[in-house]
Amino acid sequence: MSLKIAFDNSYAALPARFYARLSPEPVPAPGLVRLNHALAEELGLDAQALAGPEGLAMFSGNALPEGAAPLAQAYAGHQFGGFVPQLGDGRALLLGEVIDRGGRRRDIQLKGSGRTPFSRSGDGRAWIGPVLREYVVSEAMHALGVPTTRALAAVTTGDWVYRETRLPGAVLTRVASSHIRVGTFQYFAVRGDLDALRRLYAHARDRHFPQADDPLEFLRAAVAAQARLVAQWMALGFIHGVMNTDNCHVGGETLDYGPCAFMDAYHPHRVFSSIDRHGRYAYSSQPEIAVWNLAQLASCLLPLMDMGEEEAVGAATEVVHAFPALFQEAWLDRFRAKLGLAGAQEGDRALIEALLDIMARQGADFTRSFRGLADGRARDAFAGPEAFDNWAEDWRARLAQEGGSPEAPRTITALRAANPAFIPRNHRIEAAIGAAVSGDFTPFHRLCDVLARPYEDQPGAEDLKAPPAPEEQVTQTFCGT
Ligand code: AMP
Ligand code: MG
């Protein structure tokens, strides 16, 4: 292959028990669905070459560029609270790492590339549904300004994948600042492998929090990153859906887009995932679950702390317990911005909660309610707009205190920058997947194009702004393997 990628693989230099080395399984008839040119440029890759036959060969796993060192990473994880000592990449392979134009180390990973020693009973494959879903949602997340793994390419394989029915196979090429999860730490902690834990810690620290001098500072940075991340999710009405520790990225990127969803009608207890029967990962539970996951990370790091056990437990507990305050601060910042407020005042939380409360009682559309604040159409999102009107008087008074108003250009600019016009709405994703299964990728491409600029009103894309009609509502999302 003449396609040149300047791989610089550091994970592959870790001891052999961190992963299994193997090549992707070839596929019969690959076809390029979409290449992320902007991301390719950012990574310093030759987008032109990636769009051609050699790129297709790499993205499908049929051939590897020189310097790739494909491997499936080992990790463990708490799934819905139950510990599984061995999970690992069952359908993914890390091809290698590159240093991007900004000097940052980035993983390039194939997802859906065939069986690995971690596949258990799985086929190691993905169908186009979850691949397109992750492409759309992760790229939208990025455009919305939220730390996330990215999508470099989606390809079809020309093969069938068997789920409930026969479905077209696909592979996603995912890019991330690393694929180190809380579960990666757990994998070695449960085995009592201190040497591996030390190496993993050093590796993760260098990649994510190089300023951290010791494991406690590393934990502090991870807690802060997670608090900021979850506050951003909350401010967009995003529900991750499977916040298992194996899906919790230590660097604070949104990772693993399974049964995730952006809410349409707001309700704090909203759950989408078909497998989340007890609502463990409901919208409003996400901050608590993040704490729970971080406590797992903390306990893995304890043996690395240079102090007595009791002291280490005390110090780590204090760091994890800082989460609620950090989260609240980040949450307030985000929602203040969503109300167009520049400064901070005592009653701001109550003002925000009052709006959310009306939205919840009326099932108002989350995105439309907030975006409507910028164009004077928020009240249209409410079935009983009088309640909103009453609230809006308080809001107007609060804005006036800092010289703003719902009509002031400065306030409107701030509102538009904090409240997207477009989110990846479930019914649109489902429709795009349905069309793709029948061979029409136009709706998928249109979604990607519009969601690349979610804060801009885009004439001609009004239909993608609209909440679902009752018959279009998606009430459940699926794990999507
Ligand atoms: P997830 O629920 O997507 O986070 O995946 C949980 C675990 O199941 C991970 O170890 C995955 O690698 C594995 N897994 C999910 N889907 C498949 C599949 N189709 N084949 C093999 N392993 C899979
Ligand atoms: Mg996962």
Side-chain angles (χ1 to χ4, degrees), residues 234-395:
M234 303 300 277
L236 290 167
F238 178 73
I239 304 169
H240 181 285
V242 245
M243 288 178 71
N244 293 332
T245 56
D246 53 299
N247 295 332
C248 179
H249 186 269
V250 288
E253 283 186 353
T254 311
L255 170 69
D256 274 16
Y257 292 87
C260 63
F262 283 80
M263 257 188 288
D264 297 302
Y266 174 68
H267 197 284
H269 301 143
R270 193 76 177 84
V271 179
F272 278 93
S273 170
S274 61
I275 54 169
D276 191 359
R277 289 196 193 86
H278 305 289
R280 180 178 167 90
Y281 300 140
Y283 171 79
S284 59
S285 304
Q286 296 183 120
E288 271 167 65
I289 293 293
V291 173
W292 198 90
N293 290 345
L294 289 161
Q296 306 311 312
L297 176 63
S299 66
C300 295
L301 292 169
L302 289 178
L304 306 185
M305 292 181 192
D306 210 5
M307 46 184 118
E309 197 188 323
E310 213 173 305
E311 202 189 334
V313 170
T317 304
E318 196 187 307
V319 168
V320 173
H321 283 179
F323 183 100
L326 292 169
F327 170 77
Q328 288 305 335
E329 193 187 311
W331 186 93
L332 261 180
D333 281 352
R334 293 278 160 196
F335 278 87
R336 274 196 185 105
K338 289 178 81 66
L339 297 191
L341 302 175
Q345 284 188 24
E346 247 337 91
D348 290 350
R349 169 178 298 281
L351 185 68
I352 297 161
E353 280 173 353
L355 176 60
L356 289 172
D357 189 51
I358 302 166
M359 286 166 58
R361 273 189 279 122
Q362 300 199 15
D365 184 79
F366 187 90
T367 305
R368 198 171 158 221
S369 299
F370 282 105
R371 179 71 175 188
L373 297 176
D375 57 20
R377 287 165 59 184
R379 78 189 302 277
D380 301 351
F382 293 83
E386 304 76 22
F388 171 79
D389 293 339
N390 287 334
W391 175 85
E393 283 177 35
D394 294 340
W395 176 50

Side-chain angles (χ1 to χ4, degrees), residues 213-226:
D213 286 333
D214 57 41
L216 191 64
E217 291 312 310
F218 174 83
L219 179 64
R220 200 185 303 282
V223 168
Q226 205 63 222

Side-chain angles (χ1 to χ4, degrees), residues 73 75 79 86-92 111-112 114-116 118-126 161 163 181 242 244 246-247 256-259 275 479-481:
Q73 294 178 321
Y75 55 83
Q79 300 195 309
Q86 178 160 321
L87 289 163
D89 290 331
R91 56 171 159 178
K111 192 170 171 186
R115 287 182 53 81
T116 79
F118 306 110
S119 298
R120 289 165 294 164
S121 56
D123 59 2
R125 291 293 181 192
V161 168
R163 296 293 180 258
R181 308 141 191 271
V242 245
N244 293 332
D246 53 299
N247 295 332
D256 274 16
Y257 292 87
I275 54 169
C479 221
T481 80

